[in-house]
Amino acid sequence: MYRYHSPAARFSNRVLLTHAQTGLPQKLDMRPRAAADEAAIIYLYDEIGLWGTTAKDFTQILASIGPGPIDMHINSPGGDVFDGLAIFAALQAHDGPVNVVVDGLAASAASFIALAGSAISMAPNAFLMIHNAWGVVVGNKGDMTDTADVLGKIDGQLASLYAQKTGQGQDAIATMMDAETWFTAQEAKDAGFIDTILDASQNKAQPALKNGVFEHQPAQPANTLSVPDIAARRRMVRLAEAES
């Protein structure tokens, strides 16, 4: 299992569980367009992959929206590289312009998902981060060597995506990825990752908050896990992987 994310997420997604099985709520939020010529709004405010928004979650939401413009707001630490690539491909294939706004953080997998936008902007205090993929593997020296080769291929593909957007060479991008580079909005614009920096009056699509929760966000299921429960489930996942 290969992951591409910020240091905040340290667990593997190899065990395939559904949201219903884990009890974790889906945090992908969508506001349908009010009229045919208006944009639907997607809030990708979550990790990418099993413990957050999977590619299946995202493509189902995208299909329900239908053709037309989309405003997609991102605040994500990243996550599963393959789910991220599938989301990137789905956005690129969408029939209509996709306006991406980084509201807080687009790190790791979320950083290349952002590149699928036909227009990409950041809030002035937001961040973007790129780095190399990493993974979890159990086995002999051959397994370790094979995994290193695959991780190298993944890094090369991601560097190519960043290079296509920024116009920089892949070697320069690879150096940034090796160093785990964090960009402010101005630095991301100067490096070519985004097109514009928003001012406060431009970024008005944020939903109202009530008691720390989006007012239009669906109610969380009754079987939602607590933070200690989630930590215990992650330990169980690691043990299952070690025994497999």
Side-chain angles (χ1 to χ4, degrees):
M1 176 59 229
Y2 308 101
R3 297 192 49 79
Y4 182 71
H5 50 54
S6 76
R10 294 291 186 186
F11 47 88
S12 172
N13 283 352
R14 186 193 301 171
V15 178
L16 300 179
L17 300 175
T18 66
H19 286 292
Q21 290 171 313
T22 61
L24 292 170
Q26 180 191 133
K27 297 177 184 176
L28 181 64
D29 190 23
M30 187 271 287
R31 303 171 82 179
R33 56 180 59 90
D37 60 342
E38 293 187 9
I41 303 174
I42 297 176
Y43 293 94
L44 185 56
Y45 274 31
D46 204 356
E47 186 186 349
I48 310 302
L50 173 65
W51 297 95
T53 297
T54 66
K56 183 177 180 180
D57 295 334
F58 190 89
T59 53
Q60 287 176 341
I61 289 289
L62 200 59
S64 72
I65 290 173
I70 292 174
D71 289 340
M72 190 170 83
H73 291 256
I74 296 177
N75 182 35
S76 171
D80 185 277
V81 66
F82 299 122
D83 275 52
L85 288 170
I87 291 171
F88 173 86
L91 286 168
Q92 284 207 314
H94 176 70
D95 185 8
V98 177
N99 175 47
V100 169
V101 181
V102 179
D103 291 327
L105 174 65
S108 310
S111 68
F112 64 75
I113 288 174
L115 301 189
S118 47
I120 308 166
S121 56
M122 289 177 68
N125 296 316
F127 283 87
L128 183 144
M129 185 271 276
I130 65 173
H131 66 173
N132 291 328
W134 63 268
V136 177
V137 63
V138 176
N140 58 34
K141 62 184 180 181
D143 298 315
M144 302 300 173
T145 301
D146 291 344
T147 300
D149 289 342
V150 174
L151 288 171
K153 290 183 179 181
I154 293 171
D155 291 341
Q157 292 282 57
L158 300 181
S160 176
L161 288 179
Y162 296 130
Q164 289 172 28
K165 170 59 182 175
T166 64
Q168 300 191 51
Q170 281 192 231
D171 288 345
I173 295 293
T175 299
M176 296 178 194
M177 292 170 64
D178 288 343
E180 184 173 288
T181 303
W182 290 75
F183 298 88
T184 64
Q186 187 61 58
E187 289 169 342
K189 184 175 184 297
D190 293 343
F193 288 92
I194 68 169
D195 304 311
T196 57
I197 301 172
L198 301 180
D199 59 40
S201 63
Q202 289 176 294
N203 196 16
K204 293 182 177 179
Q206 296 292 340
L209 285 172
K210 185 175 182 180
N211 297 324
V213 178
F214 293 133
E215 286 189 330
H216 61 278
Q217 185 172 351
Q220 294 187 354
N223 65 339
T224 296
L225 296 178
S226 67
V227 171
D229 289 336
I230 293 172
R233 183 65 59 83
R234 291 175 182 172
R235 288 194 294 272
M236 291 171 62
V237 168
R238 292 193 190 100
L239 288 172
E241 290 174 345
E243 294 171 357
S244 62

